[in-house]
Amino acid sequence: MNQKSLFVGVGVTIVWFLGIIIFCIWGNFEFEKNYLNSLGDFLAGIFAPVAFFWLILGYVQQGKQLDQNTKALGQQEIALQLQIDEMKNSVEQQSKLAQIQSDQLIMMKQESRPFLKLSHARLFLNANKYATLEKQLENDEKYILKFLIKNEGRGRAKFVNIFTSEVLLREEFSRLEENETVTVVLELNKVELEKLVNNKNNFLCLIIKFKDIYDSEFSAFYDFNIESIKTNKNIIPVNILSYQNQYNSDIAN
């Protein structure tokens, strides 16, 4: 109960009892012989209206308090909704910012992505240069495959390794800078040489795995073959038929 209502209730109560006192004095009020019954009726008569008044006053005050509490809860709900909306906007802004940063990172990776191009492949024979390659395949000798690798991308390639299937042929370079060209020399055995010879499209496939400056892994695939095995030249040109993944996609194991 607030202070104003309390003052009103006390004032009304005082006025009420002053009225009773004046009434008793001016009216020469007397109790009947049955004193206790008369006193009880008297007290009930003067206190019942006051008690009822205070009950009504408390009920009204409680209603006002509930109304104030309801308004306060409504204001809290509005404030909470504003906070929720602000949090949603903040989350959306953070999501947009994260997406922008992700797109920028992807663009940076694309701009600094290495691209390895192979060229000038040659097979060097170690056997009798007057014997045909078909004859030399009958021997278990070693053969040298040379080619050039040029990084035509816009970023450095790191940890460049050369495989045939899943067999590591050579761990080549720790780094290959932009526009840098290196010569690769691979020693092939008889099985690998037979794959190099075009036999029903059975090519020798080299897999070159590497990383960019962000340590993203890539695999590039290259097919090699020799058009003709009936030759007695000591150095045989080798065709690089295709880039099975010309963008050196990130599918490294």
Side-chain angles (χ1 to χ4, degrees), residues 99-206:
Q99 184 62 44
I100 292 174
Q101 292 176 345
S102 177
D103 293 340
Q104 289 177 346
L105 181 59
I106 292 174
M107 291 178 62
M108 290 173 59
K109 286 186 175 182
Q110 292 292 340
E111 291 176 355
S112 60
R113 192 170 190 171
F115 175 74
L116 305 186
K117 182 177 180 180
L118 276 57
S119 63
H120 298 87
R122 299 288 187 272
L123 177 66
F124 292 81
L125 305 179
N126 295 325
N128 184 355
K129 66 179 181 178
Y130 297 106
T132 64
L133 179 57
E134 190 175 20
K135 294 293 184 179
Q136 295 183 40
L137 286 174
E138 299 175 359
N139 302 322
D140 291 330
E141 297 189 16
K142 298 293 183 179
Y143 302 90
I144 302 299
L145 176 64
K146 289 185 180 181
F147 53 88
L148 301 180
I149 295 181
K150 182 179 181 181
N151 182 6
E152 294 188 345
R154 297 183 179 180
R156 176 191 305 160
K158 304 187 300 182
F159 309 114
V160 181
N161 297 320
I162 301 175
F163 296 79
T164 174
S165 298
E166 293 300 322
V167 179
L168 177 63
L169 289 183
R170 183 168 177 180
E171 187 174 345
E172 277 299 323
F173 338 100
S174 60
R175 63 176 59 185
L176 187 60
E177 301 292 344
E178 180 181 346
N179 292 322
E180 182 179 1
T181 301
V182 294
T183 301
V184 177
V185 180
L186 298 179
E187 190 176 76
L188 305 180
N189 56 33
K190 181 179 178 180
V191 175
E192 293 164 346
L193 183 64
E194 288 177 344
K195 289 183 178 180
L196 184 61
V197 176
N198 187 1
N199 181 14
K200 294 183 180 179
N201 296 323
N202 184 23
F203 309 130
L204 174 65
C205 178
L206 294 186

Side-chain angles (χ1 to χ4, degrees), residues 28-46:
N28 295 321
F29 179 79
E30 294 181 358
F31 292 105
E32 297 178 358
K33 292 181 180 180
N34 191 355
Y35 179 77
L36 292 179
N37 289 337
S38 298
L39 180 61
D41 292 340
F42 175 76
L43 294 177
I46 64 174

